Amino acid sequence: MNLNFSETEKMIQKVAREFAENEVKDLAELIDRDSIFPEDTFNKMVKCGFTGIGIPTEYGGSGGTDIEKVIVVSEIAKKCAATAAILSIHGIFGQAILKFGTDEQKSKYLPLVANGGKKGAFALTEANAGSDAGAVKTRAVLDGDNYILNGTKCFITGGGQADYVMVFASTDTSKGIRGLSAFVVEKGTPGFSIGKIEDKMGIRASETVELIFDNCVIPKENLVGVEGKGFKMAMISLDGARIGVAAQAFGIAEGALEEAVKYMKERVQFGSPIASFQGLQWYIAEMATKTETAKWMTYRAASLRASGENHTKEAAIAKLNASETARFVTNLALQIHGGYGYMKDYPLERMVRDAKITEIYEGTSEIHKVVISRAVLG
Ligand SMILES: Cc1cc2nc3c(=O)[nH]c(=O)nc-3n(C[C@H](O)[C@H](O)[C@H](O)COP(=O)(O)OP(=O)(O)OC[C@H]3O[C@@H](n4cnc5c(N)ncnc54)[C@H](O)[C@@H]3O)c2cc1C
C-alpha cells in the first residue's frame, strides 16, 4: 500500500487547494449567512472537472477514483463545508447510475452530470424513514409503460436545484426492504414538486428540501437496476457517500486547525503570543493527531473502494471517526479563539455548526456503530 500521493494526485491537490483559496474561501461567510446556493462556484467546479471525478472519460467524466474525490472535497471543505457538501452529494447520483444504470441511462445522464453542469440528488429519507430506511412509504406502481410515484421525501440535499433525482420507492409494500426500487425523476416532471425548504444550523448554502411526488408519471425506462434491489443499491451507494462525508469532516478539521494555529501566533495575552502556553499547545497536539488519523483512515477506505474491494466497514469507521474529529477539532479551535471565536467575524462559529452535520447525514454515528459492530461481530 502506497501512503504517498502520486504526481497526479499532488497536482490535483494543488489545483483544488488554489481553487478553494481563490474561488471558495471569500464566499463562505456570505453564502452561509444568506443560505445562497453557490451557482457560479458550482459551474466553476464543473469547468475544473471536479464534478466528473470518478466518472470514466468515455462518459464525459474526468476519470480518477475516490482518492482524487477525497482530495478535492477535503480541500474545499477546509474553506467552505457547504460547497464541499454540494460537490460530494451531487456525485452520489452519477456513481449510482454508473454502478447500477443501463447503458442507455449511463449514456444519457453521466455526461450531463459529469461535465454538462446538470445536478444530481439522492432521495431516500422520509419523515418516518430516516435511520430505518427500509420504512420508506413512497410508492411506485407500474401502469403500462410508466411508473406512477406517490409520496414525500424529506431532508434532500440539493433537491431544489437538482436536474435529476435518484428516488427510492416501494414497488411492493408487502416485501419491506426487498420491495424497494430506485428511479430517476427528472426536474419538471408533472407531479414532482419541491415542498418545505429547511432553515438549518449549518452547511446553509447547501439547500435541504422536501420533494413531493403526487401521481408523478415517469417512463418505466427510468427504473435503475431491477425492482426490489433498491435497498441494496442505496446501501452500496452510501458506502461511497460516507467516504465523501469523511472527506468533508477531516477537511473541516484541517481548516479549523489552520485557523487555530494562525490565531495562536497572533493573539497576545500576558505579554506573550498564546501559542507559548503549554495548555493550548497540547490542544494543538490533540487536534493534529485526531485530524491526521481521520485523514488517513479516509484515504484507506477510498483506496479500498478504488481497487474494488469491500469497504463497508472501513467507510463506516472513517466516517464515524472523521465526523467526531471534526466536532472535537472545531470546538477546540473556537475555544482557542476565546470570545472572538464566538463571533461571526471569525469562521470558527460557522465551522462548529458545519461540522455537526457530518455526524448525522449519510447515516448517524449510532447507525455507523451498528454497521461497524455487525462487520466485526459477523
Ligand atoms: C442537512 C441534511 C441533509 C440531508 N441530506 C439527505 C439527502 O440528500 N438524501 C437523503 O436521503 N437523506 C438526507 N438526509 C437525511 C439523513 O440521512 C437522516 O437525517 C439521517 O439518516 C437520520 O435519520 P433521522 O433524521 O430520521 O433520525 P432518526 O432515524 O429518527 O434517529 C434519531 C436518533 O435515534 C438514533 N437511532 C436510530 N436508530 C437507531 C438504532 N438502531 N440504534 C441506535 N440509535 C439509533 C439516531 O442515531 C439518532 O440519534 C439529510 C439530513 C440532513 C439533516
Side-chain angles (χ1 to χ4, degrees), residues 68-78 84-85 87-88 244 247-248:
E68 286 92 330
K69 244 187 268 177
V70 170
I71 292 172
V72 173
V73 168
S74 61
E75 286 299 330
I76 293 174
K78 276 192 207 175
L87 176 65
S88 183
Q248 294 164 44

Side-chain angles (χ1 to χ4, degrees), residues 108-109 162-165 184-189 192 218 222:
K108 177 174 178 188
Y109 297 116
D163 297 282
Y164 313 115
V165 185
V184 176
V185 179
E186 300 191 6
K187 188 179 194 165
T189 306
F192 170 35
I218 56 166
N222 287 20

Side-chain angles (χ1 to χ4, degrees), residues 10 15 18-19 21 64-65 79 96 120 131 150 182 195 213 228 234 236 315 321:
K10 281 186 204 159
V15 171
E18 284 170 5
F19 183 86
E21 183 65 33
T65 69
K79 304 298 177 195
S131 300
N150 278 290
F213 305 95
I236 292 171
N321 179 62

